Amino acid sequence: MDKKKDLFLAKPYNMKIWHIFGKDHRSLCGKVAILFVDKDQCEDVKGTEEYQKGQDCKACFRKAGIISKKSSDET
């Protein structure tokens, strides 16, 4: 089973960057929890996403395995 299957990417209205959330609605970085998920405002994580500095949470993308620690230190 692919663990990315249960992850989704969302940008809560009060946040400046995108975070990756688990099915418990907590971000992988542990900084954000959301109570309501509007499926029109989020995307399933496929593993093909690219980290965009300043737009995405580096800790969430690292924990999801989308970027490695070594590559995230360079950005």
Side-chain angles (χ1 to χ4, degrees):
M1 181 171 109
D2 184 11
K3 72 177 192 174
K4 290 179 181 61
K5 178 182 169 192
D6 296 327
L7 301 177
F8 64 93
L9 187 64
K11 183 178 178 184
Y13 73 93
N14 59 342
M15 303 300 292
K16 294 181 180 180
I17 60 175
W18 290 81
H19 289 271
I20 297 176
F21 294 85
K23 58 183 172 179
D24 65 352
H25 295 188
R26 294 182 188 274
S27 64
L28 297 183
C29 68
K31 295 179 182 177
V32 185
I34 52 179
L35 299 175
F36 176 75
V37 179
D38 182 355
K39 290 295 182 183
D40 294 333
Q41 299 285 329
C42 61
E43 305 169 13
D44 291 334
V45 173
K46 298 175 185 79
T48 57
E49 294 79 11
E50 292 185 20
Y51 170 75
Q52 306 233 343
K53 186 176 181 179
Q55 295 181 21
D56 299 320
C57 175
K58 186 186 299 184
C60 285
F61 273 67
R62 190 180 307 136
K63 286 189 177 183
I66 295 171
I67 57 174
S68 68
K69 179 157 176 50
K70 183 178 180 181
S71 67
S72 67
D73 289 341
E74 295 169 2
T75 58

